[in-house]
Amino acid sequence: GGRVAMVCSAVSSKMLRAVAEREGFRFEETLTGFKWIGRRMVELREEGYDACFGYEEAIGFACGSVIPDKDGISAACCLSELAAHCYATLGTSLSGHLATLRSRYGSFGRRDGDF
């Protein structure tokens, strides 16, 4: 197996960091925006990592190694695969799986607002 890395912007949820610490994969934060996230994913791949996931707080997701930019189509496909796995293998829904993740890694809330 390869070395796994995941990337998100500094203002995104800290849940991915908690998962990385517990599961032992490399985690990195970048400045906000996919020009930073995608660039770092490419650099990590060049360093031999499988940079398989990147996201930002504005609900942009890069899933897999094909497109190092936010891509709603691949993100929807990944979510569909996860939903099928949850229902068929784990016997739960996506929200049930999220509850399991929260119990394992902690709950991470956010407060947005304008000043």
Side-chain angles (χ1 to χ4, degrees), residues 19-106:
V19 174
E21 289 171 357
R22 181 150 180 196
E23 302 301 331
F25 61 84
R26 184 165 177 174
F27 167 78
E28 292 202 15
E29 286 183 340
T30 69
L31 297 173
T32 300
F34 264 87
K35 71 179 183 181
W36 302 106
I37 296 166
R39 180 180 300 152
R40 189 61 190 134
M41 290 176 77
V42 169
E43 291 169 352
L44 286 163
R45 287 182 189 130
E46 290 170 353
E47 295 172 24
Y49 286 92
D50 176 12
C52 57
F53 183 70
Y55 85 101
E56 66 178 347
E57 76 292 343
I59 311 181
F61 300 95
C63 304
S65 61
V66 177
I67 301 170
D69 200 350
K70 60 184 166 184
D71 175 32
I73 294 171
S74 66
C77 290
C78 287
L79 185 63
S80 296
E81 286 183 44
L82 177 60
H85 174 74
C86 287
Y87 290 116
T89 306
L90 304 177
T92 189
S93 64
L94 285 173
S95 45
H97 186 57
L98 180 58
T100 300
L101 294 175
R102 285 182 174 147
S103 69
R104 183 177 299 157
Y105 303 111

